[in-house]
Amino acid sequence: MVDVDCDFVTFTYIRLASDELDRRLKKTAAEFREELHREGSCSGQISLEFYHKKRPQWSFFSYDCTEWEIWTIKITTIVLANEHERQLHREKVSELLTEKMFYITQAVSRHEYVPKVPSQSELDFVFDTSFPDIQPYLFRISFLTNMTTSTSVGTTMKKFIRDTLAL
Protein backbone atom coordinates (compact mmCIF):
# COMPACT_ATOMS: atom_id res chain seq x y z
CA MET A 1 0.00 0.00 0.00
CA VAL A 2 1.12 3.54 -0.80
CA ASP A 3 -0.13 6.79 0.75
CA VAL A 4 -1.07 9.42 -1.84
CA ASP A 5 -1.46 13.12 -1.01
CA CYS A 6 -3.64 15.07 -3.44
CA ASP A 7 -2.11 18.20 -4.95
CA PHE A 8 -5.10 20.57 -4.95
CA VAL A 9 -7.20 19.50 -1.98
CA THR A 10 -6.41 18.34 1.53
CA PHE A 11 -6.99 14.65 1.03
CA THR A 12 -4.83 11.55 1.47
CA TYR A 13 -5.77 8.05 0.36
CA ILE A 14 -4.03 4.72 0.00
CA ARG A 15 -3.59 2.80 -3.21
CA LEU A 16 -2.14 -0.54 -4.11
CA ALA A 17 1.62 -0.52 -4.66
CA SER A 18 1.38 -1.35 -8.37
CA ASP A 19 3.05 1.28 -10.51
CA GLU A 20 1.65 -0.20 -13.72
CA LEU A 21 -1.94 -0.19 -12.43
CA ASP A 22 -1.42 3.36 -11.15
CA ARG A 23 -0.14 4.49 -14.59
CA ARG A 24 -3.13 2.90 -16.33
CA LEU A 25 -5.65 4.55 -14.01
CA LYS A 26 -3.93 7.95 -14.20
CA LYS A 27 -3.81 7.72 -18.01
CA THR A 28 -7.58 7.20 -18.20
CA ALA A 29 -8.25 9.95 -15.65
CA ALA A 30 -6.03 12.31 -17.69
CA GLU A 31 -7.95 11.41 -20.88
CA PHE A 32 -11.20 12.26 -19.08
CA ARG A 33 -9.78 15.58 -17.85
CA GLU A 34 -8.47 16.42 -21.35
CA GLU A 35 -11.85 15.59 -22.90
CA LEU A 36 -13.59 17.89 -20.42
CA HIS A 37 -11.18 20.72 -21.31
CA ARG A 38 -11.23 20.07 -25.07
CA GLU A 39 -15.00 20.24 -25.30
CA GLY A 40 -15.29 23.08 -22.84
CA SER A 41 -17.53 20.78 -20.84
CA CYS A 42 -18.72 21.80 -17.44
CA SER A 43 -19.89 18.32 -16.51
CA GLY A 44 -19.16 14.67 -17.08
CA GLN A 45 -18.96 11.33 -15.41
CA ILE A 46 -16.39 8.56 -15.12
CA SER A 47 -17.30 4.98 -14.27
CA LEU A 48 -15.35 2.01 -12.98
CA GLU A 49 -16.99 -1.30 -13.87
CA PHE A 50 -16.00 -4.68 -12.48
CA TYR A 51 -17.04 -7.68 -14.56
CA HIS A 52 -16.43 -11.36 -15.14
CA LYS A 53 -16.39 -13.39 -18.33
CA LYS A 54 -18.44 -16.46 -19.12
CA ARG A 55 -17.83 -18.99 -21.86
CA PRO A 56 -20.16 -18.41 -24.79
CA GLN A 57 -22.89 -20.94 -25.49
CA TRP A 58 -21.81 -21.09 -29.11
CA SER A 59 -18.13 -21.49 -29.90
CA PHE A 60 -18.02 -18.74 -32.56
CA PHE A 61 -19.17 -15.97 -30.19
CA SER A 62 -16.81 -14.01 -27.97
CA TYR A 63 -17.01 -14.29 -24.21
CA ASP A 64 -20.06 -12.90 -22.43
CA CYS A 65 -19.11 -10.18 -19.96
CA THR A 66 -21.32 -9.51 -16.95
CA GLU A 67 -20.81 -6.45 -14.78
CA TRP A 68 -21.09 -7.19 -11.09
CA GLU A 69 -20.35 -3.73 -9.72
CA ILE A 70 -20.28 -0.22 -11.18
CA TRP A 71 -19.02 2.94 -9.47
CA THR A 72 -19.75 6.29 -11.13
CA ILE A 73 -18.45 9.72 -10.19
CA LYS A 74 -20.27 12.71 -11.64
CA ILE A 75 -18.19 15.86 -12.05
CA THR A 76 -19.30 19.46 -12.48
CA THR A 77 -16.63 22.07 -13.05
CA ILE A 78 -17.13 25.64 -11.96
CA VAL A 79 -15.30 28.92 -12.41
CA LEU A 80 -14.45 30.67 -9.17
CA ALA A 81 -13.92 34.42 -8.93
CA ASN A 82 -11.11 34.63 -6.39
CA GLU A 83 -8.70 32.73 -4.15
CA HIS A 84 -11.04 32.92 -1.15
CA GLU A 85 -13.77 31.06 -3.10
CA ARG A 86 -11.18 28.51 -4.29
CA GLN A 87 -10.11 27.83 -0.71
CA LEU A 88 -13.73 27.37 0.44
CA HIS A 89 -14.39 24.93 -2.41
CA ARG A 90 -11.17 23.02 -1.71
CA GLU A 91 -12.40 22.46 1.86
CA LYS A 92 -15.84 21.35 0.65
CA VAL A 93 -14.30 18.98 -1.89
CA SER A 94 -11.98 17.53 0.77
CA GLU A 95 -14.95 16.88 3.06
CA LEU A 96 -16.95 15.34 0.21
CA LEU A 97 -14.07 13.07 -0.85
CA THR A 98 -13.61 11.91 2.74
CA GLU A 99 -17.34 11.16 3.05
CA LYS A 100 -17.39 9.23 -0.25
CA MET A 101 -14.24 7.28 0.61
CA PHE A 102 -15.82 6.14 3.91
CA TYR A 103 -18.94 5.10 2.02
CA ILE A 104 -16.91 3.11 -0.51
CA THR A 105 -14.91 1.45 2.27
CA GLN A 106 -18.10 0.39 4.04
CA ALA A 107 -19.71 -0.82 0.81
CA VAL A 108 -16.80 -2.98 -0.32
CA SER A 109 -16.50 -4.50 3.16
CA ARG A 110 -19.99 -6.04 2.89
CA HIS A 111 -19.06 -8.75 0.33
CA GLU A 112 -22.60 -8.72 -1.09
CA TYR A 113 -21.41 -10.04 -4.41
CA VAL A 114 -17.96 -11.04 -5.46
CA PRO A 115 -17.39 -13.62 -8.20
CA LYS A 116 -16.42 -17.10 -7.08
CA VAL A 117 -12.73 -17.83 -7.18
CA PRO A 118 -12.30 -19.79 -10.40
CA SER A 119 -10.16 -22.81 -11.09
CA GLN A 120 -6.57 -22.18 -12.16
CA SER A 121 -7.44 -22.60 -15.86
CA GLU A 122 -10.19 -19.93 -15.66
CA LEU A 123 -8.40 -17.20 -13.68
CA ASP A 124 -8.60 -14.89 -16.72
CA PHE A 125 -12.41 -15.03 -16.46
CA VAL A 126 -12.39 -13.11 -13.17
CA PHE A 127 -8.95 -11.52 -12.72
CA ASP A 128 -6.87 -9.22 -14.92
CA THR A 129 -3.63 -11.17 -15.24
CA SER A 130 -1.96 -8.61 -17.54
CA PHE A 131 -0.24 -6.83 -14.65
CA PRO A 132 3.08 -8.32 -13.51
CA ASP A 133 2.71 -7.40 -9.82
CA ILE A 134 -1.01 -7.62 -9.07
CA GLN A 135 -4.12 -9.38 -10.36
CA PRO A 136 -7.17 -7.17 -9.74
CA TYR A 137 -10.67 -8.17 -10.70
CA LEU A 138 -11.41 -7.54 -14.37
CA PHE A 139 -12.36 -3.90 -14.79
CA ARG A 140 -12.93 -1.21 -17.36
CA ILE A 141 -13.17 2.53 -17.08
CA SER A 142 -15.41 4.64 -19.29
CA PHE A 143 -16.37 8.28 -19.27
CA LEU A 144 -18.91 10.69 -20.70
CA THR A 145 -18.63 14.44 -21.21
CA ASN A 146 -21.73 16.41 -22.14
CA MET A 147 -23.31 13.12 -23.20
CA THR A 148 -20.46 12.35 -25.61
CA THR A 149 -18.96 8.94 -24.99
CA SER A 150 -15.26 8.23 -24.84
CA THR A 151 -13.88 6.61 -27.94
CA SER A 152 -12.72 3.37 -26.39
CA VAL A 153 -12.94 0.21 -28.45
CA GLY A 154 -15.52 -1.23 -26.05
CA THR A 155 -17.74 1.83 -26.28
CA THR A 156 -17.45 1.92 -30.05
CA MET A 157 -18.31 -1.78 -30.36
CA LYS A 158 -21.31 -1.46 -28.02
CA LYS A 159 -22.62 1.43 -30.11
CA PHE A 160 -21.98 -0.51 -33.34
CA ILE A 161 -23.81 -3.61 -32.08
CA ARG A 162 -26.70 -1.56 -30.65
CA ASP A 163 -27.08 0.38 -33.93
CA THR A 164 -26.83 -2.81 -36.01
CA LEU A 165 -29.49 -4.58 -33.98
CA ALA A 166 -31.76 -1.54 -34.23
CA LEU A 167 -31.88 -1.90 -38.03
Side-chain angles (χ1 to χ4, degrees):
M1 298 291 199
V2 176
D3 285 350
V4 179
D5 294 322
C6 295
D7 295 332
F8 300 105
V9 293
T10 306
F11 185 73
T12 301
Y13 63 94
I14 56 172
R15 69 166 178 85
L16 296 172
S18 170
D19 291 335
E20 193 168 329
L21 177 62
D22 186 52
R23 271 192 298 277
R24 187 160 152 195
L25 296 174
K26 283 182 177 177
K27 179 180 181 272
T28 306
E31 290 170 359
F32 176 52
R33 183 189 67 233
E34 290 168 11
E35 188 73 18
L36 283 171
H37 288 296
R38 181 178 22 259
E39 292 187 5
S41 300
C42 61
S43 64
Q45 67 181 39
I46 188 164
S47 297
L48 171 62
E49 299 177 8
F50 294 98
Y51 66 96
H52 61 90
K53 298 180 198 174
K54 293 181 183 177
R55 290 193 188 278
Q57 291 182 344
W58 301 97
S59 61
F60 54 90
F61 288 119
S62 64
Y63 293 104
D64 295 328
C65 294
T66 304
E67 292 88 7
W68 53 272
E69 189 151 329
I70 301 172
W71 293 87
T72 299
I73 298 173
K74 295 181 180 183
I75 307 271
T76 302
T77 59
I78 56 174
V79 178
L80 301 169
N82 56 49
E83 187 59 33
H84 177 70
E85 284 185 10
R86 277 189 205 58
Q87 187 58 34
L88 289 174
H89 267 32
R90 281 186 191 123
E91 292 171 12
K92 288 179 184 177
V93 169
S94 295
E95 290 172 9
L96 185 61
L97 285 172
T98 301
E99 177 185 314
K100 296 303 179 186
M101 192 60 77
F102 281 126
Y103 173 77
I104 290 169
T105 303
Q106 290 174 343
V108 297
S109 297
R110 281 186 242 145
H111 302 294
E112 289 179 3
Y113 177 79
V114 176
K116 294 178 185 175
V117 176
S119 64
Q120 184 72 26
S121 64
E122 295 182 339
L123 286 176
D124 288 345
F125 287 25
V126 175
F127 299 103
D128 186 340
T129 57
S130 66
F131 296 98
D133 55 351
I134 189 170
Q135 284 71 51
Y137 287 113
L138 289 169
F139 70 93
R140 63 181 151 244
I141 301 172
S142 59
F143 56 82
L144 301 170
T145 57
N146 282 347
M147 305 309 286
T148 304
T149 59
S150 67
T151 56
S152 71
V153 174
T155 303
T156 304
M157 287 306 294
K158 283 181 188 175
K159 186 175 189 303
F160 174 75
I161 292 169
R162 188 177 31 228
D163 292 346
T164 301
L165 293 175
L167 294 176

